[in-house]
Amino acid sequence: MIRAAAALALAVLFLPVIPLCAALSPEQRQLSLQSFEYVWTVIRDKHWQTKPGGLDWQAIHDEFKPRIEAADSMDAVRAVMSEMLARLHQTHFGIVSADLYSNVDASHSGDVTTGMDVRVIGAHVLVTSVETGSSAAAQGIRPGWEILKIAGADLAPVVAKLNETYAGSTLRDLMLRRTILARLSNDAAESIAVEFLDGAGQRVVKKLAQADPKGNLVQFGYLNPMHVWFSSSRAGAGRVGGGAIGYVAFNAFLDPERLMASFGEAVQSCQTCDGFVIDLRGNPGGIGIMAMGMAGWFIAQPDQKLGTLYMRDNTIKFVVNPRVATFSGPLAILVDGASASTSEIMAGGLKDLGRARIFGTHTAGAALPSLFEKLPDGDGFQYAIANYISEGGQPLEGLGVTPDVETPVTREALLAGKDPALDAAVAWIEQKKPVQKSPTK
């Protein structure tokens, strides 16, 4: 039965096709034809344009159906359907092989972690943060260490292949981070051997235990359960921990009851702060309407929009909901290549409204809501159901948000204990602080 398997609410999930070249049986031929008809029909009926991609979609059907009927392997079937979807020239449309889709479709009780976050900078996998109290912290791992091997497998060829696959794509940072984190996660009862290049340039191997991530385990729609966390502190003197600048970070726009309350409390407690920083780095998105409520803590004027979502039969305007007591000071938002979807909508919308200054690196350009479904032949099918246009009149999909201040991450900065994006945001806020004049006699 065809069913939705995962719906990332304004988020992204894309997986490459892995070809299987065995000849088709008569039953597989029939299932492949059914799959083709389903894919074509979904695009016809659910695409936000009545002429998807500006194409004569019936003519597309008539062109590609004979090629599906003539395909002699699953590899060929996928190639034909992928070529048909490529005619749209739009992202979030793809076919995922059955063996890979089974990983997407599998249910599990939650994710596990070693307590590290990573980014792939060029060809190098760098640890960007280590969670206090985690296995990684206990083993003495520090930001800036480079990961060379996981469970004995060299990461260099994996990174090289992914860099080739996503060359020129805004999804590159997001997908490489996701791939590495997936390799670092296995059964929670086991540990995993990871080889690093430490801060002194020495190769070291650490055996890291798996544990539940911090935060609350939540379930949303067809998504697998995930842990959602929120942190709030003060930033100043270039680092989190002290000063008169509010700082919040959270890993997804989910768990709205807890997250919205925590976010509001953080802003309310900082009404007299010199500025405020929202850290959306690594945040892949979630529930889009949460961005409207959060933005309302910083915009007092009514009828302001972050952007508009266009569907076939409906239009959703991301109208900001102003709070009674808004924060009017300088607002900085931190983003990177792993910031996607609702994170991009919030950052891009507040930038377009002239309310926030953006620091970090270019975002993932993955703003469309998409669905995953299982096809009759067992493959997965991803398709987008809407288009998003920012308040500035530009699509975010495939373009992303360009920071006002680019702050690339380097191994040297991480090893030195620096956070280029946060440091730049704090410096900007402190520059805007009114100069205190000495009283005259």
Side-chain angles (χ1 to χ4, degrees), residues 9-12 91-92 170-171 174 250 253 280-286 288 291 306-307 318 333-352 358 361-369 388-391 394-403:
L10 295 170
V12 59
T91 61
H92 286 72
T170 56
L171 294 176
L174 178 72
F250 50 98
F253 285 83
L280 298 178
R281 292 174 293 181
N283 188 320
L306 299 177
F318 282 69
I333 299 179
L334 313 184
V335 298
D336 65 8
S339 304
S341 183
T342 307
S343 291
E344 298 180 281
I345 289 172
M346 184 169 177
L350 288 172
K351 177 184 178 181
D352 286 349
I358 314 300
T361 56
H362 202 280
T363 66
L368 301 189
Y388 178 83
I389 303 297
S390 74
E391 188 60 11
Q394 296 295 319
L396 287 177
E397 186 68 19
L399 296 176
V401 178
T402 300

Side-chain angles (χ1 to χ4, degrees), residues 311-366:
M311 294 177 283
R312 174 68 68 89
D313 300 315
N314 195 14
T315 298
I316 299 177
K317 295 181 179 180
F318 282 69
V319 179
V320 176
N321 177 27
R323 305 293 176 158
V324 175
T326 57
F327 178 80
S328 60
L331 174 63
I333 299 179
L334 313 184
V335 298
D336 65 8
S339 304
S341 183
T342 307
S343 291
E344 298 180 281
I345 289 172
M346 184 169 177
L350 288 172
K351 177 184 178 181
D352 286 349
L353 292 172
R355 182 60 188 91
R357 190 165 178 80
I358 314 300
F359 297 81
T361 56
H362 202 280
T363 66

Side-chain angles (χ1 to χ4, degrees), residues 17-331:
V17 171
I18 295 180
L20 301 175
C21 300
L24 293 176
S25 67
E27 181 183 6
Q28 286 176 317
R29 287 183 180 277
Q30 182 61 34
L31 293 175
S32 294
L33 182 59
Q34 291 176 16
S35 298
F36 166 79
E37 293 290 353
Y38 183 79
V39 168
W40 180 84
T41 302
V42 164
I43 302 300
R44 182 195 66 185
D45 296 343
K46 296 186 179 181
H47 196 278
W48 58 91
Q49 296 171 304
T50 54
K51 293 183 66 176
L55 301 170
D56 181 338
W57 202 239
Q58 183 62 51
I60 292 292
H61 176 277
D62 298 342
E63 175 187 350
F64 281 89
K65 183 178 179 180
R67 295 176 58 185
I68 286 289
E69 293 173 329
D72 58 2
S73 69
M74 286 302 298
D75 184 18
V77 169
R78 295 185 188 105
V80 172
M81 288 205 282
S82 295
E83 182 182 340
M84 179 178 74
L85 294 174
R87 293 284 183 91
L88 295 169
H89 296 289
Q90 294 163 342
T91 61
H92 286 72
F93 292 91
I95 304 298
V96 181
S97 64
D99 57 339
L100 197 57
Y101 178 76
S102 64
N103 293 328
V104 178
D105 193 37
S107 61
H108 54 76
S109 61
D111 42 348
V112 294
T113 180
T114 58
M116 297 183 297
D117 199 0
V118 302
R119 297 293 186 277
V120 181
I121 309 301
H124 305 283
V125 181
L126 301 181
V127 177
T128 53
S129 66
V130 178
E131 184 180 338
T132 302
S134 67
S135 176
Q139 291 290 328
I141 297 165
R142 297 290 181 266
W145 285 26
E146 181 178 352
I147 302 177
L148 304 175
K149 295 182 181 181
I150 298 176
D154 193 344
L155 292 184
V158 176
V159 171
K161 181 60 177 177
L162 289 169
N163 273 328
E164 179 184 350
T165 301
Y166 292 100
S169 170
T170 56
L171 294 176
R172 184 256 180 200
D173 292 352
L174 178 72
M175 297 311 300
L176 267 69
R177 174 185 181 242
R178 181 172 291 168
T179 299
I180 300 302
L181 290 178
R183 285 173 173 259
L184 286 168
S185 300
N186 56 19
D187 190 279
E190 299 179 357
S191 59
I192 186 167
V194 182
E195 183 174 331
F196 298 88
L197 188 70
D198 69 12
Q202 301 297 312
R203 286 177 173 258
V204 296
V205 177
K206 302 288 186 178
K207 202 161 188 179
L208 303 177
Q210 303 287 325
D212 288 336
K214 61 183 178 181
N216 299 300
L217 187 64
V218 300
Q219 175 82 52
F220 177 75
Y222 289 105
L223 292 177
N224 285 322
M226 69 175 294
H227 287 81
V228 178
W229 56 262
F230 174 90
S231 66
S232 173
S233 59
R234 293 287 186 267
R239 302 304 303 151
V240 173
I245 298 173
Y247 172 91
V248 298
F250 50 98
N251 65 322
F253 285 83
L254 295 172
D255 197 12
E257 183 176 354
R258 290 189 182 92
L259 188 58
M260 296 300 288
S262 298
F263 189 92
E265 289 170 4
V267 179
Q268 285 180 301
S269 69
C270 205
Q271 287 294 319
T272 60
C273 287
D274 296 324
F276 204 87
V277 177
I278 303 174
D279 193 343
L280 298 178
R281 292 174 293 181
N283 188 320
I287 303 173
I289 60 174
M290 291 176 66
M292 295 184 276
M294 290 180 177
W297 285 106
F298 305 98
I299 295 178
Q301 304 93 323
D303 302 321
Q304 300 293 299
K305 298 198 304 291
L306 299 177
T308 304
L309 191 69
Y310 295 93
M311 294 177 283
R312 174 68 68 89
D313 300 315
N314 195 14
T315 298
I316 299 177
K317 295 181 179 180
F318 282 69
V319 179
V320 176
N321 177 27
R323 305 293 176 158
V324 175
T326 57
F327 178 80
S328 60
L331 174 63

